[in-house]
Structures are given as structure tokens and as C-alpha cells.
Amino acid sequence: MGFFIQTFIEFLKDKDYRSLLAASIFILFGGALFYMYAEGWRFLDALYFSTITLTTIGYGDFTPQTDLGKIFTIVYIGLGVGLILTFVNTVFNHFQDARKNQRTNK
């Protein structure tokens, strides 16, 4: 467990990783704010929908009803999935590099 906490702290110290994390948070909360206003959803519902959409889980319990919401969702999925996949790949590579460094230092 200590390895993951240490790696997370190292992750937050790196400017590039922080920028990617900030972009991911911006996309997530930006989508939530859009859905709040375009679809009239409560913030928690909009954030929930944004999260399940970007992670491609898509439970289907919320769906955009307006044309604007549907068009935004098409663009949001394309932009968001690419960003989230980049974020996941970056985190994976960071963990992999940290493990290699840990093995080398033994």
C-alpha cells in the first residue's frame, strides 16, 4: 500500500501529470456543468452522468433528452474518452517506471 501512496505523491509532484489531471478534472466538471444547464439535471446527477460516460460504463439510467445535449454528448465522448485513456496510460506508465526503479535500487 505504501508503494501506491508514494507513487501517487510522486505523480502529483510532476508538472506534466498535474496538467493532465487538471485537464481531466476540467473535462469532467465542464461536462457536468453543461448537462446541468442543457438538461436541467441536478449537479450530482450531471457529474454522475459525465463520469459514467467518460469511463465508457454507460449504465443508461440517464440520457440526454435535448438535441443540444445529444450533440454535445457525441463530441464529449470523443474528446473525453481520448483524454481519459491518455490519463490512464500515463498513470500506468508512471507506475511501471516506478516499479522498475524500485527493482533496480534493490
Side-chain angles (χ1 to χ4, degrees), residues 28 46-62:
L28 183 65
L47 183 61
Y48 168 78
F49 179 77
S50 295
T51 302
I52 63 173
T53 299
L54 291 181
T55 58
T56 69
I57 293 170
Y59 292 122
D61 49 351
F62 285 91

Side-chain angles (χ1 to χ4, degrees), residues 30-89:
L33 291 174
F34 175 85
Y35 289 118
M36 271 181 60
Y37 294 107
E39 297 295 326
W41 295 342
R42 296 179 315 134
F43 178 73
L44 184 58
D45 293 334
L47 183 61
Y48 168 78
F49 179 77
S50 295
T51 302
I52 63 173
T53 299
L54 291 181
T55 58
T56 69
I57 293 170
Y59 292 122
D61 49 351
F62 285 91
T63 56
Q65 300 302 308
T66 65
D67 288 343
L68 183 60
K70 291 173 185 178
I71 292 168
F72 177 79
T73 301
I74 293 167
V75 175
Y76 188 63
I77 289 170
L79 178 75
V81 168
L83 181 66
I84 297 299
L85 289 175
T86 301
F87 181 78
V88 169
N89 184 53

